[in-house]
Amino acid sequence: MARELHLGSNILAALTSIWLRVVDVVAWWLDAPRHFDNFMEWLDHLDPSRALASSKLGFLVSSAPSKGSSRGRALQRAGFVHAADEKPSAAFVDVRPDAHHLHAPPCGSVEIEVLQAGGWTRQNVGDAFSAEDVFGVIVVDGGVGVTSTKVDSVVPAWGADERRAFRFPVSDPAATLFLGLFDEGRCDDTPIGRCAVA
C-alpha cells in the first residue's frame, strides 16, 4: 500500500512539472510580439564588425572591406544607388522660421532642392543587416526643412514627386545654409555628414 502512494505522488509531481512547462510555453507565445520587438531592437543596435569579431562567428566579418561594402560586413545589404531625378519638383514646401529667429521682415526667399547625396564612408552607418535609411535636414535663417527618407540607400536620390524642395523666407541676406544627412533609426538618428554654404 505504501508503495502505491509513493508511485502516485511521483506521477502527480511529474504531471505538475509538465503542466507548469506548458503554462510557461503558452505564456511565452502569448507575449511573442514583445519578444520579437526586443529582438529587432537588439538587432538594430548590433554592430557585427565588433560583436561577431570577438565570437566564434568572426568568419562572418571580413577583415578587409568587400567590394560591395566599405564597411566589411558580410551580413549587411549593399544598399541601392539611385539615379538623380533632375525634373523640376512637383511642389515646394513653404518653411516658416522659428519665432526666435524672426528679427526682421523677410527680404526675399531661397528655394532649395535636394536631388542626390553620397560619397560618405559607411563606417558605423546603417543597422546590422540593412544599408542606410537616409534623410536630409536643411536649416536656413531659422527655418528647418526635412526631406523624405530613402530606405536602404548608399546613394539616395529624391524624386520630383517626393519631399525634396523647400522655400525659405530669408531676413538676413548673409544667412548660412546648413545641410545635414542622417541615418534614420528606430530609437535615434545617426549623423552621416553635414556641410554649410555661406
Side-chain angles (χ1 to χ4, degrees), residues 7-88:
L7 179 63
S9 65
N10 285 345
I11 291 173
L12 183 61
L15 289 175
T16 303
S17 175
I18 291 170
W19 175 252
L20 291 175
R21 289 188 186 259
V22 167
V23 168
D24 287 342
V25 168
V26 169
W28 189 90
W29 278 107
L30 290 175
D31 206 18
R34 186 178 61 84
H35 294 300
F36 180 75
D37 289 342
N38 289 341
F39 176 69
M40 292 307 293
E41 185 175 335
W42 175 76
L43 279 180
D44 281 344
H45 295 297
L46 178 66
D47 185 356
S49 62
R50 282 183 281 159
L52 292 178
S54 62
S55 73
K56 293 180 182 178
L57 301 174
F59 66 90
L60 291 174
V61 181
S62 59
S63 58
S66 63
K67 287 183 182 177
S69 168
S70 63
R71 200 169 183 185
R73 294 183 178 183
L75 299 177
Q76 186 181 36
R77 288 194 300 265
F80 300 107
V81 174
H82 301 280
D85 181 3
E86 296 181 3
K87 292 184 287 193

Side-chain angles (χ1 to χ4, degrees), residues 114-186:
V114 180
L115 302 179
Q116 189 176 31
W120 58 82
T121 61
R122 298 188 68 203
Q123 184 67 30
N124 294 325
V125 179
D127 59 23
F129 300 109
S130 65
E132 299 85 84
D133 301 331
V134 182
F135 69 94
V137 176
I138 303 105
V139 180
V140 177
D141 203 18
V144 179
V146 180
T147 67
S148 55
T149 301
K150 300 301 286 184
V151 178
D152 285 346
S153 298
V154 292
V155 180
W158 288 266
D161 57 342
E162 296 180 284
R163 191 175 65 236
R164 72 172 190 183
F166 304 93
R167 185 178 295 114
F168 293 88
V170 177
S171 301
D172 180 9
T176 302
L177 180 147
F178 297 96
L179 172 65
L181 291 176
F182 294 86
D183 176 22
E184 184 177 65
R186 290 182 71 191

